[in-house]
Amino acid sequence: SSDLIQDPSRHELHLEFSNSEIFLFPSYSEGFSLACIEALSFGLIPVISVKCGVFDALVKTSLERFAISPGSLTDIIEKLKSIEKLTDEQFFMYRLLAYEISTNFSLEKFAQNVISESEIE
């Protein structure tokens, strides 16, 4: 959809993520973005800024190659063109990797980490 959706409902967000294949996030400065994690959970290929907190989860994975400098139109165009050149198999594998990375940020894993860090030995 080319229309800007202001204050989308959960349902609208779900539909947008479901109908997308790439997540573009050229932020100049962003903490740990839930929108990025949601996009990964839908298997969207992340074209995100190196200044986004979620970028750290992509370091040393093949998805790191799609990272951009904050706000760089040149980087955005270059990364989108490189995605366009992927074979169907490569495209699917990157989308699967995005989903797999998102599973590291589930509420269940977060709770397990909090519990294990708070246990007294």
Side-chain angles (χ1 to χ4, degrees), residues 28-41:
Y28 285 93
S29 176
E30 187 75 32
F32 193 80
S33 169
L34 290 179
C36 288
I37 296 300
E38 284 181 301
L40 292 173
S41 75

Side-chain angles (χ1 to χ4, degrees), residues 68-69 71-81:
I68 58 171
S69 297
S72 170
L73 184 56
T74 303
D75 278 4
I76 292 169
I77 292 168
E78 176 188 310
K79 301 307 176 177
L80 292 177
K81 284 182 178 181

